[in-house]
Amino acid sequence: MPGITREEVAHLARLARLELTDEDLDHFAGQLDDIIGAVARVSDVADQDVPPTSHPLPLTNVMRPDEVRPSLTPQQALSGAPAAAQQRFKVPQILGEEA
């Protein structure tokens, strides 16, 4: 696999609107080439009987049951609010939308 060139790094930098020096181009070309090589080695190791995964260990969600617990009434929650309307916090309009 041919390595990534300075011109390719310069093209990527232009797309990302990054200003890179000549030294940066050489440095990043080497780093990106190492990264691409590492990814290629991982692809070589993966076999057909190994399913693709996003995490090396199986994950399960731990959920607690929904239970009603004591909480504030709407009046208590809104008691410190500078403005309230229809049992909700009233905030200044920011997008020019109709209420």
Side-chain angles (χ1 to χ4, degrees):
M1 168 187 268
I4 190 165
T5 65
R6 290 179 84 245
E7 290 75 23
E8 291 170 321
V9 174
H11 177 70
L12 291 172
R14 277 191 302 278
L15 291 175
R17 299 184 191 277
L18 298 174
E19 187 174 329
L20 299 179
T21 65
D22 289 337
E23 294 82 26
D24 290 337
L25 292 174
D26 292 330
H27 180 74
F28 291 137
Q31 285 186 336
L32 288 171
D33 196 41
D34 291 342
I35 292 169
I36 291 170
V39 171
R41 283 193 303 276
V42 170
S43 297
D44 291 342
V45 172
D47 200 16
Q48 296 298 330
D49 61 340
V50 178
T53 59
S54 63
H55 197 274
L57 302 174
L59 297 176
T60 57
N61 287 333
V62 179
M63 304 280 194
R64 64 170 173 76
D66 288 335
E67 297 174 0
V68 177
R69 296 182 182 190
S71 61
L72 299 175
T73 65
Q75 293 79 18
Q76 291 170 324
L78 295 169
S79 65
Q86 300 176 352
Q87 292 188 344
R88 298 181 184 149
F89 293 98
K90 188 173 181 179
V91 297
Q93 186 174 344
I94 59 170
L95 298 177
E97 297 174 349
E98 293 294 322

